[in-house]
Amino acid sequence: MAKTNPGRFFEDYQLGQVLTHAVPRTVSGGERALYHALYPARHALYSSDEFARASGLAASPIDDLAAFHVVFGKTVPDVSLNAVANLGYAEGRWLKPVWAGDTLRSESEVIGLKQNSNGKTGVVYVRSRGVNQRDETVMEYVRWVMVRKSDLDAPAPETVVPELSKVVAPEDLVIPDGLDFSGYDFALAGESHRWSDYEIGETIDHVDGVTIEEAEHMIATRLWQNTAKVHFDATFRPDGQRLIYGGHVISMARALSFNGLANAQMIVGLNGGAHANPCFSGDTVKAWSEVLDKAETSAPGVGAIRLRLVATKGGEPFKLKGEDGKYLSEVLLDLDYWALMPL
């Protein structure tokens, strides 16, 4: 009897199936240190316990995206080990901060299936959530993944494509208990721009760029325990290149957005996202943002700002799609998220 696990293929998924993902992980300050080493992450709330305490929190939480990567990585062996590509995200919410010492585990429910017309692959929709040691859900999100079939003769399942919200409503965003930006120190945060300084429709070129290194990508993918074959095995793709984990691009672009959005401190909602084109070692990632919406919150001095974050590997800023409606070839990431910012 085989002891090894080849991973799930498209025909192995069933609507309503609940996947309990293996290997819970206790996070520590080590995750923060490595996260800040891999990306030029400088947001003050995640860099300083004292800054976080002055903002009403007990200490500096683990970066929102670091927590996302830990939760996401748990899902890979059961959801995307045999994936062709991770296609998109929706309905993501960060519900509780993750602190050093917390233990995170993940589970997913299959909420949609659609076999592709080529009969060789299909799209699997899952709703995943990360849970801490107190059985509290710290975050949740939907993603959909294109997965290979192993048995090409396996019958196609009934097509079910879930209806997903295009945006997380501002009233559904969860503000961390105690968060208070009324005494916010803009000098220590690095920029003077506050929530009221940004206008809907405004675009921001984040100016800086970072060239993706193979070694850093490999460290990051191992750090998050992401075992997807396309990231590790150079023989798995016909072009012989290892695909850069899409989350690596997300974190790089978010870190680059500090220049112009240093006060967009906490990510609390993920409205949508697409990995528009593959990223490989040697690509230089740059980023720009567009302000899509703004909303007030019940927390003192705290506003919510909805941002489109675009990562590119060249080309002019503020250009996203061609006349055919398709993403331009230089666009790597199109991410729509809510962040919290001082009023």
Side-chain angles (χ1 to χ4, degrees):
M1 182 177 179
K3 299 292 192 301
T4 55
N5 176 17
R8 287 179 168 82
F9 293 88
F10 179 70
E11 64 269 24
D12 297 324
Y13 294 95
Q14 299 176 356
L15 196 67
Q17 185 178 17
V18 175
L19 307 172
T20 300
H21 306 299
V23 193
R25 179 162 176 171
T26 302
V27 297
S28 70
E31 272 80 5
R32 173 184 291 117
L34 274 170
Y35 187 85
H36 288 208
L38 289 165
Y39 312 105
R42 292 180 287 160
H43 287 87
L45 197 72
Y46 299 104
S47 299
S48 165
D49 284 341
E50 294 306 316
F51 191 97
R53 290 187 186 107
S55 300
L57 302 181
S60 179
I62 299 297
D63 292 68
D64 300 311
L65 288 177
F68 170 79
H69 294 319
V70 171
V71 171
F72 184 100
K74 304 289 97 188
T75 72
V76 169
D78 297 311
V79 175
S80 48
L81 191 66
N82 294 305
V84 179
N86 191 44
L87 299 177
Y89 307 93
E91 297 185 357
R93 293 192 303 159
W94 281 256
L95 302 172
K96 285 185 175 294
V98 174
W99 310 100
D102 280 352
T103 297
L104 301 182
R105 56 185 172 83
S106 304
E107 62 181 40
S108 300
E109 180 184 359
V110 179
I111 61 171
L113 294 167
K114 181 181 184 297
Q115 181 166 301
N116 291 328
S117 58
N118 62 12
K120 299 178 180 179
T121 58
V123 179
V124 181
Y125 297 79
V126 296
R127 186 181 301 277
S128 299
R129 67 188 190 111
V131 181
N132 65 19
Q133 69 275 19
R134 293 178 293 276
D135 289 329
E136 299 167 333
T137 300
V138 300
M139 66 179 310
E140 61 184 9
Y141 62 91
V142 173
R143 72 166 168 141
W144 48 103
V145 186
M146 188 185 302
V147 181
R148 291 177 173 83
K149 290 185 72 174
S150 177
D151 178 6
L152 299 185
D153 295 326
E158 179 185 357
T159 296
V160 176
V161 177
E163 291 188 15
L164 300 171
S165 302
K166 295 185 181 298
V167 61
V168 178
E171 58 268 23
D172 291 332
L173 300 174
V174 177
I175 313 301
D177 291 342
L179 189 68
D180 183 346
F181 283 162
S182 56
Y184 190 90
D185 192 324
F186 288 88
L188 289 180
E191 282 182 354
S192 61
H193 316 305
R194 60 178 70 227
W195 182 86
S196 56
D197 293 328
Y198 293 88
E199 297 182 2
I200 296 174
E202 179 179 356
T203 53
I204 304 158
D205 181 0
H206 299 301
V207 180
D208 306 309
V210 174
T211 301
I212 299 292
E213 302 286 349
E214 189 78 58
E216 292 172 353
H217 159 61
M218 286 291 90
I219 290 171
T221 312
R222 293 184 182 112
L223 173 64
W224 312 127
Q225 298 176 322
N226 184 331
T227 56
K229 297 174 184 178
V230 289
H231 303 321
F232 280 98
D233 187 347
T235 68
F236 200 69
R237 288 174 53 90
D239 58 12
Q241 297 189 83
R242 289 185 287 196
L243 186 68
I244 302 298
Y245 164 46
H248 193 65
V249 178
I250 292 174
S251 280
M252 193 65 73
R254 159 71 171 165
L256 290 171
S257 75
F258 180 90
N259 191 347
L261 285 167
N263 296 316
Q265 291 286 353
M266 305 192 82
I267 298 177
V268 288
L270 178 58
N271 302 306
H275 297 290
N277 286 289
C279 181
F280 300 102
S281 174
D283 288 342
T284 296
V285 175
K286 295 190 174 183
W288 57 268
S289 292
E290 178 185 1
V291 179
L292 299 178
D293 201 0
K294 297 167 65 179
E296 296 183 2
T297 78
S298 59
V302 179
I305 185 167
R306 181 183 170 199
L307 299 162
R308 160 175 269 159
L309 175 61
V310 177
T312 70
K313 55 179 178 179
E316 298 179 36
F318 316 133
K319 292 190 176 181
L320 190 64
K321 297 181 179 180
E323 294 181 359
D324 58 1
K326 295 181 179 179
Y327 285 108
L328 299 174
S329 61
E330 64 267 22
V331 174
L332 298 171
L333 170 73
D334 181 12
L335 196 74
D336 179 341
Y337 70 101
W338 284 103
L340 301 181
M341 178 179 281
L343 294 172

